[in-house]
Amino acid sequence: MAHGVDMVFGLPGVQAYALFDALAKVQDRITVIGARHEQTCGYMAYGYARSTGRPGVLAVVPGPGVLNASAAMLTGYGSSTPMVCIAGDIPSSALHRGLGHVHELPDQLATLRSFTKWAGAVTHPAHAPGVLSEAFWQATSGRPRPAAVSVPWDVMAQSAPVLEPAPREVVAPEIDPADLDEAVALLRSARNPMIMVGSGAQDASAAVAELAELLAAPVVSLRGGRGVVSAEHPSAMNSAEGFERWSDTDVLLAVGTRQELVWFRWPDRPKGLKTINLDIDPEQHARLQPTVGLTGDASDGVAALLERLRTDQPRPSRRAEFDAARQSVRDRLTASLQPHTEYLAAIRAVLPDDGFFVDEISQVGFASLVAFPVRNPRTFISSGSQATLGFGFPTALGVKAAHPSSPVVSITGDGGFLFAATELATAVQYNLDVVTIVFTNNAYGNVLADQQRLFNGRALAAELHNPDFVALARSFGADGHRAENPEQLRATLDKALGAGRPAVIEVPMPLDTDSSPWPFLLPPSRTAATTPNP
């Protein structure tokens, strides 16, 4: 509680009984949401953290519990998301002895360190406040990422006098004024600047929009930066729209992003391009080799740039150019990416601007990166570069737990949904009224399309046998619906969101390899390559 924790996602077991008993005594202050699988505990914590910006906390047993939750923590690591995992461990007397104790990992702490930013152990009750403070500080300071605390079974059950918890203050580094001056000079000299934003810019929304207006620059995002600037803002562009402006760009200002578009998706850099990288993680400058590296918080950095640039003469509006670039992409989307765009438009028409949209690794999920307008920060929830199949539905439960009065829509394919469909029981038990739209094509659609495209039509292990998803939802006590077209989806979704109950809407959508989102996510030269789509 000293660290502001109001919710824990967990699955109890013998090595964590003492922790759950302690949580039972403070239920008036900390809500505990159980689950049917530790992986879901992790993804619910991930959804909580992505949608709030605060650490998502999970509690699991050792060994298989930790490994089950590891995919979610790896997703959090890849997408710079603050999470704290509290894991039980085998008794102290059995550690590192290989006795075959129940749930034993050869070295649990080393395992945790392989997919977290930091992991530590509590070996005596007196150590607990300091170790926990370090875990929360590591998770939230600098580049946010998961941290973990491992506590042996016997230690977790012990009691002893301890010091009051002392949360460590998170302080962002001050940006070097000389680097700021150099960045300002580059921006002033730019003829065609571009701003690119990622997850790290989510709390700098208003400042980024103002800077874009001053510079007459587009603001481009792929996944994590979506919603930093509303899609309705004249400067906002998704990645496909931004690519229309890329060849003319002479100065790129990247804010809180790993620049996946630059080093991977857009392989041809404009000649003479200068780059400014604003990131709280100095290692990003070493990786990306910018012309100027600004190390600091995104909000602080953008504010400092604004302070120096506000006195400049206003630049001529480029709204007509930006509108033309956006319209070009939208026309091509309308012509070639159906019915994906129509279904996404139906969802957008019903979901309020401040409602939450959780994507999934699916054909419609990929399409949403370029065909679903996002109008508020933190309302578009993605698995980031990990591209974690099956993350969407359980993540949406964590989003809903954090925002009980906000509508939450999860879109998923039939393959991804069945990774965690049993959590419909959790949704009903805790009244997490997420509406999940399951687009069914009886396949891992992207895999099947790749197999057909790359291997002379040979397909293996990509075609699926499905249940009746409507009946499945109802068997758990959730609402079940079916929509056959975008108009039906719009009406059904409106009804489902108004019902205030967990719901599944099945939408049959046969795979059409001629209607693919990939030409909009990768340049034609990449899409035609003999490598699978990432």
Side-chain angles (χ1 to χ4, degrees):
M1 289 177 287
H3 300 282
V5 175
D6 60 2
M7 192 167 290
V8 173
F9 304 93
L11 203 163
V14 64
Q15 298 91 347
Y17 280 166
L19 172 61
F20 280 82
D21 184 57
L23 289 169
K25 298 172 184 175
V26 293
Q27 291 183 78
D28 59 327
R29 288 167 285 174
I30 297 179
T31 299
V32 176
I33 294 182
R36 300 304 180 93
H37 196 288
E38 290 93 355
Q39 187 177 87
T40 306
C41 297
Y43 280 124
M44 287 197 289
Y46 176 79
Y48 177 101
R50 291 295 292 179
S51 62
T52 65
R54 303 191 302 272
V57 180
L58 63 146
V60 296
V61 297
V66 165
L67 295 176
N68 285 341
S70 65
M73 286 189 274
L74 184 62
T75 302
Y77 188 92
S79 60
S80 304
T81 302
M83 300 166 66
V84 174
C85 173
I86 302 174
D89 204 345
I90 64 174
S92 302
S93 60
L95 286 170
H96 310 300
R97 296 182 62 190
L99 299 175
H101 209 286
V102 62
H103 292 356
E104 180 177 0
L105 270 175
D107 191 335
Q108 178 160 292
L109 204 56
T111 301
L112 284 164
R113 285 170 176 157
S114 70
F115 47 76
T116 62
K117 178 181 175 181
W118 179 90
V122 174
T123 57
H124 186 276
H127 300 157
V131 174
L132 283 169
S133 291
E134 182 69 18
F136 279 94
W137 183 83
Q138 290 282 353
T140 55
S141 65
R143 184 175 184 173
R145 278 178 161 165
V149 175
S150 183
V151 190
W153 179 355
D154 53 316
V155 175
M156 192 176 283
Q158 293 173 5
S159 61
V162 298
L163 297 173
E164 286 291 320
R168 291 181 60 182
E169 184 180 5
V170 175
V171 179
E174 291 189 15
I175 300 174
D176 189 320
D179 293 336
L180 276 170
D181 291 342
E182 191 174 351
V184 167
L186 274 182
L187 291 172
R188 282 178 172 150
S189 70
R191 300 181 311 279
N192 295 296
M194 175 182 287
I195 301 173
M196 190 173 290
V197 292
S199 296
Q202 284 288 347
D203 295 326
S205 177
V208 170
E210 183 181 350
L211 184 61
E213 292 162 8
L214 282 175
L215 295 173
V219 180
V220 180
S221 58
L222 173 60
R223 286 178 298 239
R226 303 211 63 208
V228 168
V229 173
S230 169
E232 306 307 317
H233 191 281
S235 296
M237 292 187 180
N238 61 45
S239 60
E241 295 161 351
F243 185 64
E244 297 288 301
R245 302 289 308 168
W246 180 234
S247 62
D248 293 328
T249 301
D250 57 346
V251 175
L252 173 70
L253 170 61
V255 183
T257 171
R258 62 169 56 86
Q259 297 182 41
E260 180 181 333
L261 290 171
V262 177
W263 63 262
F264 176 61
R265 294 184 181 270
W266 298 350
D268 300 320
R269 294 166 67 99
K271 186 176 180 180
L273 177 72
K274 305 293 184 182
T275 60
I276 303 164
N277 194 53
L278 169 56
D279 203 292
I280 202 163
D281 181 1
E283 291 185 12
Q284 288 293 83
H285 307 322
R287 296 185 188 106
L288 299 171
Q289 296 293 305
T291 310
V292 180
L294 305 177
T295 303
D297 178 76
S299 297
D300 295 343
V302 177
L305 293 172
L306 278 172
E307 184 179 357
R308 288 162 170 77
L309 291 167
R310 277 197 185 106
T311 57
D312 291 5
Q313 287 292 325
R315 297 190 179 203
S317 171
R318 309 189 81 160
R319 181 165 186 166
E321 298 173 49
F322 297 169
D323 285 348
R326 282 190 290 262
Q327 193 59 52
S328 172
V329 171
R330 291 169 189 172
D331 289 345
R332 286 185 282 125
L333 285 168
T334 300
S336 63
L337 191 56
Q338 300 294 348
H340 310 62
T341 57
E342 292 178 349
Y343 279 122
L344 290 167
I347 297 169
R348 181 72 280 177
V350 176
L351 185 66
D353 289 354
D354 59 353
F356 292 87
F357 178 95
V358 184
D359 79 352
E360 176 58 272
I361 305 307
S362 64
Q363 290 289 297
V364 180
F366 291 129
S368 72
L369 298 179
V370 293
F372 186 81
V374 184
R375 297 170 181 147
N376 280 292
R378 298 195 183 280
T379 58
F380 184 91
I381 311 296
S382 157
S383 61
S385 63
Q386 281 297 329
T388 319
L389 181 61
F391 96 101
F393 172 56
T395 293
L397 297 180
V399 174
K400 186 65 183 182
H403 306 273
S405 62
S406 297
V408 178
V409 171
S410 167
I411 65 163
T412 180
D414 41 3
F417 181 59
L418 284 180
F419 272 48
T422 49
E423 298 301 341
L424 283 166
T426 302
V428 172
Q429 180 177 352
Y430 292 94
N431 195 31
L432 301 173
D433 52 325
V434 170
V435 178
T436 304
I437 303 170
V438 184
F439 293 93
T440 60
N441 55 21
N442 299 304
Y444 293 117
N446 200 57
V447 175
L448 182 59
D450 274 344
Q451 288 181 336
Q452 293 174 342
R453 178 173 64 94
L454 300 174
F455 303 104
N456 296 320
R458 292 187 300 276
L460 185 65
E463 295 172 295
L464 304 174
H465 172 75
N466 282 326
D468 180 332
F469 286 104
V470 175
L472 179 69
R474 292 173 180 171
S475 74
F476 280 97
D479 291 343
H481 310 277
R482 184 173 285 107
E484 303 283 348
N485 55 55
E487 293 75 19
Q488 287 183 11
L489 176 60
R490 179 171 178 167
T492 305
L493 178 59
D494 190 40
K495 176 183 175 182
L497 287 174
R501 291 169 45 77
V504 172
I505 304 173
E506 180 181 357
V507 180
M509 186 175 165
L511 181 64
D512 179 359
T513 55
D514 292 328
S515 182
S516 170
W518 290 106
F520 298 93
L521 297 172
L522 292 169
S525 60
R526 293 297 311 277
T527 307
T530 57
T531 56
N533 293 320

XYZ file of all heavy atoms in Angstrom, residues 10 34 39 53 60 62 103 255 306 314 319 331 358 362 372 391 407 410 413 471 492 494 524 527 534:
179
model
N -3.785 -12.568 -8.985
C -3.016 -13.690 -8.470
C -3.728 -15.016 -8.525
O -4.946 -15.101 -8.707
N -8.604 -13.150 -8.782
C -8.027 -14.444 -9.104
C -8.219 -14.785 -10.562
O -8.917 -14.094 -11.305
N -0.684 -17.297 -16.488
C -0.434 -16.416 -17.632
C -1.444 -15.280 -17.654
O -1.105 -14.136 -17.950
C -0.493 -17.204 -18.938
C -0.081 -16.372 -20.150
C -0.061 -17.184 -21.430
O -1.087 -17.307 -22.102
N 1.084 -17.753 -21.755
N -0.694 3.443 -16.564
C 0.654 3.967 -16.381
C 1.245 3.614 -15.031
O 2.398 3.946 -14.747
N 2.190 -15.126 -7.893
C 2.099 -16.503 -8.401
C 2.983 -17.420 -7.570
O 3.857 -16.972 -6.817
C 2.534 -16.581 -9.887
C 1.594 -15.787 -10.764
C 3.973 -16.106 -10.066
N 5.866 -20.582 -7.357
C 7.138 -20.725 -8.075
C 7.054 -21.725 -9.222
O 6.006 -22.326 -9.488
C 8.085 -21.229 -6.981
C 7.208 -21.952 -6.018
C 5.919 -21.180 -6.009
N 7.428 -27.728 -7.412
C 7.542 -26.456 -8.129
C 8.967 -25.912 -8.161
O 9.180 -24.723 -8.396
C 6.630 -25.384 -7.523
C 5.161 -25.642 -7.714
N 4.676 -26.703 -8.440
C 4.068 -24.976 -7.260
C 3.356 -26.678 -8.436
N 2.954 -25.652 -7.732
N 10.314 10.418 -30.156
C 10.018 10.642 -28.741
C 9.525 9.347 -28.112
O 8.448 8.849 -28.446
C 8.947 11.742 -28.561
C 8.704 12.008 -27.076
C 9.356 13.020 -29.274
N 9.723 23.057 -26.674
C 8.684 24.068 -26.878
C 9.114 25.428 -26.348
O 8.882 26.467 -26.988
C 7.388 23.638 -26.178
C 6.489 22.657 -26.916
C 5.368 22.182 -26.002
C 5.903 23.296 -28.166
N 5.734 31.517 -36.816
C 4.922 30.344 -37.161
C 5.212 29.867 -38.580
O 5.419 30.679 -39.486
C 3.483 30.857 -37.031
C 3.574 32.070 -36.172
C 4.921 32.679 -36.434
N -1.491 21.518 -43.657
C -2.660 20.669 -43.471
C -3.118 20.047 -44.788
O -3.488 18.868 -44.822
C -3.800 21.467 -42.836
C -5.035 20.624 -42.586
C -6.012 21.283 -41.662
N -7.110 20.384 -41.344
C -7.967 20.573 -40.361
N -7.858 21.648 -39.580
N -8.945 19.727 -40.146
N -8.157 5.857 -49.134
C -8.744 5.377 -50.386
C -8.257 3.959 -50.692
O -9.049 3.105 -51.134
C -8.377 6.318 -51.540
C -9.089 7.662 -51.456
O -10.071 7.777 -50.690
O -8.653 8.610 -52.159
N -8.564 -3.171 -27.220
C -7.422 -4.073 -27.046
C -7.293 -4.913 -28.303
O -8.217 -5.647 -28.677
C -7.602 -4.977 -25.812
C -6.353 -5.830 -25.590
C -7.891 -4.127 -24.566
N -3.955 -10.919 -35.041
C -4.967 -11.447 -35.944
C -5.026 -10.524 -37.151
O -4.464 -9.424 -37.127
C -6.345 -11.487 -35.259
O -6.770 -10.173 -34.942
N -7.972 1.923 -37.494
C -8.803 2.212 -36.326
C -8.330 3.527 -35.713
O -7.233 3.598 -35.148
C -8.716 1.090 -35.287
C -9.675 1.275 -34.137
C -11.000 0.914 -34.264
C -9.242 1.822 -32.935
C -11.893 1.090 -33.208
C -10.121 2.007 -31.881
C -11.455 1.639 -32.021
N -2.731 -12.798 -26.115
C -2.647 -11.850 -24.995
C -3.914 -11.015 -24.835
O -4.217 -10.514 -23.753
C -1.448 -10.906 -25.196
C -1.805 -9.595 -25.832
C -1.942 -8.447 -25.067
C -2.061 -9.518 -27.198
C -2.311 -7.243 -25.652
C -2.426 -8.325 -27.783
C -2.550 -7.175 -27.005
N -16.042 1.508 -21.017
C -16.240 0.373 -21.921
C -14.899 -0.152 -22.438
O -13.988 0.633 -22.741
C -17.080 0.955 -23.052
C -16.879 2.424 -22.992
C -16.573 2.767 -21.580
N -12.399 -5.967 -26.716
C -11.263 -6.795 -27.125
C -11.587 -7.415 -28.474
O -12.654 -8.003 -28.652
C -11.031 -7.897 -26.081
O -10.157 -8.896 -26.571
N -8.777 -13.093 -32.932
C -9.100 -14.167 -33.844
C -9.511 -15.402 -33.064
O -9.347 -15.475 -31.840
N -22.352 -20.403 -27.903
C -22.722 -21.359 -26.862
C -21.654 -21.441 -25.775
O -21.977 -21.592 -24.581
C -22.952 -22.736 -27.494
N -25.083 -5.011 -32.563
C -24.866 -5.991 -31.500
C -23.895 -5.464 -30.455
O -24.087 -5.660 -29.246
C -24.352 -7.311 -32.101
O -25.255 -7.760 -33.101
C -24.215 -8.374 -31.031
N -23.331 -2.310 -29.714
C -24.029 -1.277 -28.954
C -24.892 -1.907 -27.861
O -24.895 -1.458 -26.710
C -24.883 -0.450 -29.910
C -25.452 0.797 -29.256
O -24.730 1.447 -28.469
O -26.622 1.127 -29.518
N 6.128 -2.180 -50.159
C 5.958 -3.293 -51.107
C 7.184 -4.175 -51.240
O 7.064 -5.382 -51.392
C 5.629 -2.571 -52.421
C 4.991 -1.287 -51.982
C 5.699 -0.893 -50.716
N 6.994 -6.569 -48.303
C 5.845 -7.465 -48.329
C 6.051 -8.596 -49.326
O 5.604 -9.719 -49.129
C 4.565 -6.689 -48.695
O 4.452 -5.578 -47.806
C 3.337 -7.562 -48.550
N 6.098 -10.369 -39.960
C 6.355 -10.390 -38.531
C 5.104 -10.022 -37.763
O 4.217 -9.388 -38.280
C 7.435 -9.326 -38.361
C 7.203 -8.375 -39.480
C 6.682 -9.204 -40.616
